[in-house]
Amino acid sequence: MAHGVPHHALPIPRPDLGLARDCEHCLGWGTVVTRDGEHQLCHTCQPGPGGDGTAV
Ligand SMILES: [Zn+2]
């Protein structure tokens, strides 16, 4: 029944809530909302989208 979803509606990233649990930046959500109203993975607790494994 789900139709009419606008193409510009990006899917909300799926964060690792285990990592986000103790994060004060995103308050455990694992995502943050940008000024544009878009959800982004919390860069504080979530690994980058590249996933190059580089430690902070
Ligand atoms: Zn976080």
Side-chain angles (χ1 to χ4, degrees):
M1 306 304 178
H3 64 92
V5 178
H7 289 289
H8 64 264
L10 298 176
I12 299 175
R14 302 184 64 177
D16 187 331
L17 296 181
L19 295 174
R21 186 174 181 178
D22 296 324
C23 181
E24 295 182 353
H25 186 73
C26 62
L27 303 179
W29 286 99
T31 57
V32 293
V33 180
T34 68
R35 290 188 298 175
D36 294 329
E38 296 180 350
H39 289 261
Q40 287 186 341
L41 286 177
C42 173
H43 58 77
T44 300
C45 63
Q46 302 299 310
D52 56 7
T54 303
V56 178

